Amino acid sequence: LVPEPYYNEAGYEKQQGTMEGRHNSRQYNESTLLLTLRHMILTITKPISHLSPYVTAHFQSRRSAILARIKRITDDAVSEGDAA
């Protein structure tokens, strides 16, 4: 995985190092994060019945790591907002 997957999209590598590229990359990452979180919540609240035990076990075992990552992301967003 790469820190800025936006630039892996065809044609977008030309924007790397530009103000437009940084803005678009950040929006891409934020949208991807929100979609991932939405999917996680849906998977937790409405798991496919025969997968339910695996879903529960997965999220119970990864709970701390997931919450820590979300906290880091929100803390970073608040810090960036303060700097703006």
Side-chain angles (χ1 to χ4, degrees):
L1 299 175
V2 296
E4 297 190 75
Y6 172 78
Y7 300 115
N8 288 341
E9 298 290 337
Y12 294 166
E13 70 279 355
K14 296 176 206 158
Q15 294 180 12
Q16 201 159 11
T18 67
M19 184 89 97
E20 179 185 18
R22 284 189 291 278
H23 173 76
N24 291 341
S25 178
R26 181 179 172 152
Q27 283 191 317
Y28 181 94
N29 289 344
E30 287 175 4
S31 294
T32 301
L33 174 65
L34 291 174
L35 290 171
T36 300
L37 292 173
R38 183 178 296 156
H39 184 71
M40 284 173 48
I41 291 166
L42 180 64
T43 301
I44 292 167
T45 58
K46 296 180 182 181
I48 297 171
S49 61
H50 64 281
L51 296 178
S52 184
Y54 302 105
V55 169
T56 300
H58 170 74
F59 285 107
Q60 283 178 342
S61 70
R62 301 290 303 150
R63 179 180 185 263
S64 294
I66 292 167
L67 292 175
R69 175 135 192 249
I70 292 169
K71 181 167 178 13
R72 271 195 321 275
I73 290 166
T74 55
D75 288 350
D76 288 347
V78 168
S79 295
E80 288 175 13
D82 290 343

